[in-house]
Short mmCIF file of all heavy atoms in Angstrom, two decimals:
data_model
loop_
_atom_site.label_atom_id
_atom_site.label_comp_id
_atom_site.label_asym_id
_atom_site.label_seq_id
_atom_site.Cartn_x
_atom_site.Cartn_y
_atom_site.Cartn_z
N TYR A 93 84.01 -49.29 0.70
CA TYR A 93 84.81 -50.50 0.82
C TYR A 93 85.68 -50.65 -0.41
O TYR A 93 85.43 -50.02 -1.45
CB TYR A 93 83.97 -51.76 1.07
CG TYR A 93 82.80 -51.98 0.12
CD1 TYR A 93 82.99 -52.59 -1.11
CD2 TYR A 93 81.51 -51.59 0.48
CE1 TYR A 93 81.92 -52.82 -1.98
CE2 TYR A 93 80.44 -51.81 -0.38
CZ TYR A 93 80.65 -52.43 -1.60
OH TYR A 93 79.60 -52.63 -2.45
N GLN A 97 88.62 -57.97 -7.00
CA GLN A 97 87.62 -58.49 -7.92
C GLN A 97 88.32 -59.41 -8.91
O GLN A 97 89.22 -58.98 -9.63
CB GLN A 97 86.94 -57.34 -8.67
CG GLN A 97 86.18 -56.40 -7.71
CD GLN A 97 85.24 -55.47 -8.43
OE1 GLN A 97 85.63 -54.82 -9.39
NE2 GLN A 97 84.01 -55.40 -7.97
N LEU A 105 85.66 -49.24 -4.05
CA LEU A 105 84.39 -49.72 -4.63
C LEU A 105 83.27 -49.00 -3.90
O LEU A 105 82.93 -47.90 -4.25
CB LEU A 105 84.28 -51.24 -4.45
CG LEU A 105 85.17 -52.08 -5.36
CD1 LEU A 105 85.27 -53.51 -4.86
CD2 LEU A 105 84.61 -52.07 -6.77
N GLY A 106 82.75 -49.59 -2.85
CA GLY A 106 81.71 -48.92 -2.06
C GLY A 106 80.33 -49.11 -2.67
O GLY A 106 80.17 -49.68 -3.75
N ASP A 107 79.33 -48.63 -1.94
CA ASP A 107 77.93 -48.74 -2.37
C ASP A 107 77.68 -47.78 -3.52
O ASP A 107 77.32 -46.62 -3.30
CB ASP A 107 76.99 -48.36 -1.21
CG ASP A 107 76.96 -49.42 -0.11
OD1 ASP A 107 77.27 -50.59 -0.40
OD2 ASP A 107 76.61 -49.05 1.03
N ARG A 109 75.33 -48.19 -5.79
CA ARG A 109 73.88 -48.09 -6.06
C ARG A 109 73.09 -48.60 -4.86
O ARG A 109 71.99 -49.13 -5.02
CB ARG A 109 73.53 -48.92 -7.29
CG ARG A 109 73.96 -50.37 -7.20
CD ARG A 109 73.27 -51.19 -8.24
NE ARG A 109 73.81 -52.55 -8.28
CZ ARG A 109 73.31 -53.51 -9.04
NH1 ARG A 109 72.27 -53.25 -9.80
NH2 ARG A 109 73.85 -54.70 -9.03
N LYS A 128 69.15 -51.62 -2.43
CA LYS A 128 69.98 -51.82 -3.61
C LYS A 128 69.18 -51.33 -4.81
O LYS A 128 68.02 -51.70 -4.97
CB LYS A 128 70.27 -53.33 -3.74
CG LYS A 128 71.41 -53.70 -4.62
CD LYS A 128 71.85 -55.11 -4.24
CE LYS A 128 72.77 -55.76 -5.23
NZ LYS A 128 73.19 -57.08 -4.76
N ARG A 191 66.94 -55.07 1.72
CA ARG A 191 67.44 -56.29 2.34
C ARG A 191 67.91 -56.03 3.76
O ARG A 191 68.13 -54.89 4.17
CB ARG A 191 68.53 -56.94 1.49
CG ARG A 191 69.81 -56.15 1.44
CD ARG A 191 70.84 -56.89 0.57
NE ARG A 191 72.07 -56.13 0.50
CZ ARG A 191 73.08 -56.43 -0.30
NH1 ARG A 191 72.99 -57.45 -1.11
NH2 ARG A 191 74.17 -55.70 -0.29
N ARG A 198 82.21 -56.09 5.22
CA ARG A 198 82.79 -57.06 4.31
C ARG A 198 84.29 -57.15 4.55
O ARG A 198 84.88 -56.25 5.17
CB ARG A 198 82.58 -56.58 2.86
CG ARG A 198 81.15 -56.30 2.52
CD ARG A 198 81.04 -55.08 1.59
NE ARG A 198 79.65 -54.64 1.47
CZ ARG A 198 78.82 -55.06 0.54
NH1 ARG A 198 79.24 -55.88 -0.39
NH2 ARG A 198 77.56 -54.65 0.51
N HIS A 261 78.19 -69.37 -5.72
CA HIS A 261 77.96 -67.94 -5.50
C HIS A 261 78.21 -67.13 -6.76
O HIS A 261 77.45 -66.23 -7.11
CB HIS A 261 78.84 -67.44 -4.35
CG HIS A 261 78.64 -65.99 -4.03
ND1 HIS A 261 79.21 -64.98 -4.79
CD2 HIS A 261 77.92 -65.37 -3.08
CE1 HIS A 261 78.84 -63.81 -4.29
NE2 HIS A 261 78.06 -64.02 -3.25
N VAL A 263 80.45 -64.75 -7.66
CA VAL A 263 81.37 -63.61 -7.57
C VAL A 263 81.93 -63.48 -6.17
O VAL A 263 81.61 -62.54 -5.43
CB VAL A 263 80.75 -62.23 -7.86
CG1 VAL A 263 81.47 -61.49 -8.96
CG2 VAL A 263 79.28 -62.27 -8.06
N ASN A 265 84.25 -62.16 -4.79
CA ASN A 265 85.25 -61.10 -4.58
C ASN A 265 85.29 -60.76 -3.09
O ASN A 265 84.33 -61.02 -2.37
CB ASN A 265 84.86 -59.87 -5.40
CG ASN A 265 84.92 -60.14 -6.90
OD1 ASN A 265 85.69 -61.01 -7.33
ND2 ASN A 265 84.13 -59.44 -7.68
N THR A 266 86.39 -60.14 -2.64
CA THR A 266 86.48 -59.89 -1.20
C THR A 266 85.44 -58.87 -0.73
O THR A 266 85.11 -58.84 0.45
CB THR A 266 87.89 -59.39 -0.80
OG1 THR A 266 88.20 -58.23 -1.57
CG2 THR A 266 88.95 -60.46 -1.02
N ASP A 267 84.92 -58.07 -1.65
CA ASP A 267 83.86 -57.14 -1.26
C ASP A 267 82.51 -57.84 -1.16
O ASP A 267 81.54 -57.26 -0.71
CB ASP A 267 83.76 -55.98 -2.27
CG ASP A 267 83.65 -56.45 -3.70
OD1 ASP A 267 84.55 -57.16 -4.17
OD2 ASP A 267 82.63 -56.14 -4.36
N ASN A 268 82.44 -59.10 -1.58
CA ASN A 268 81.21 -59.87 -1.47
C ASN A 268 81.32 -60.96 -0.42
O ASN A 268 80.61 -61.96 -0.48
CB ASN A 268 80.83 -60.47 -2.83
CG ASN A 268 80.39 -59.40 -3.83
OD1 ASN A 268 79.99 -58.32 -3.44
ND2 ASN A 268 80.49 -59.71 -5.11
N MET A 269 82.24 -60.80 0.53
CA MET A 269 82.36 -61.77 1.62
C MET A 269 82.18 -61.03 2.95
O MET A 269 82.91 -60.08 3.25
CB MET A 269 83.72 -62.46 1.58
CG MET A 269 83.83 -63.52 2.65
SD MET A 269 85.46 -64.28 2.69
CE MET A 269 85.06 -65.84 1.95
N ILE A 276 76.15 -63.05 0.93
CA ILE A 276 75.73 -61.71 0.50
C ILE A 276 75.92 -61.55 -1.01
O ILE A 276 76.76 -62.21 -1.60
CB ILE A 276 76.52 -60.60 1.25
CG1 ILE A 276 75.85 -59.23 1.07
CG2 ILE A 276 77.98 -60.56 0.80
CD1 ILE A 276 76.46 -58.14 1.94
N ASP A 277 75.13 -60.65 -1.59
CA ASP A 277 75.25 -60.23 -2.98
C ASP A 277 75.03 -61.35 -3.97
O ASP A 277 75.95 -61.94 -4.53
CB ASP A 277 76.59 -59.52 -3.23
CG ASP A 277 76.49 -58.05 -2.83
OD1 ASP A 277 75.41 -57.63 -2.40
OD2 ASP A 277 77.49 -57.33 -2.96
N TYR A 278 73.74 -61.58 -4.18
CA TYR A 278 73.32 -62.62 -5.11
C TYR A 278 73.30 -62.04 -6.51
O TYR A 278 72.36 -61.37 -6.90
CB TYR A 278 71.94 -63.13 -4.72
CG TYR A 278 71.96 -63.87 -3.39
CD1 TYR A 278 71.85 -63.19 -2.18
CD2 TYR A 278 72.13 -65.24 -3.37
CE1 TYR A 278 71.88 -63.87 -0.98
CE2 TYR A 278 72.16 -65.94 -2.17
CZ TYR A 278 72.04 -65.24 -0.98
OH TYR A 278 72.08 -65.93 0.20
N GLY A 279 74.38 -62.24 -7.24
CA GLY A 279 74.43 -61.79 -8.63
C GLY A 279 74.29 -63.02 -9.51
O GLY A 279 73.22 -63.61 -9.61
MG1 LIG B 513 78.88 -56.58 -4.07
#
Side-chain angles (χ1 to χ4, degrees):
Y93 50 84
Q97 298 194 310
L105 286 165
D107 288 336
R109 55 165 173 175
K128 198 160 166 177
R191 69 179 179 189
R198 305 143 191 269
H261 181 281
V263 235
N265 294 333
T266 56
D267 52 301
N268 290 338
M269 183 183 255
I276 194 172
D277 276 359
Y278 293 85

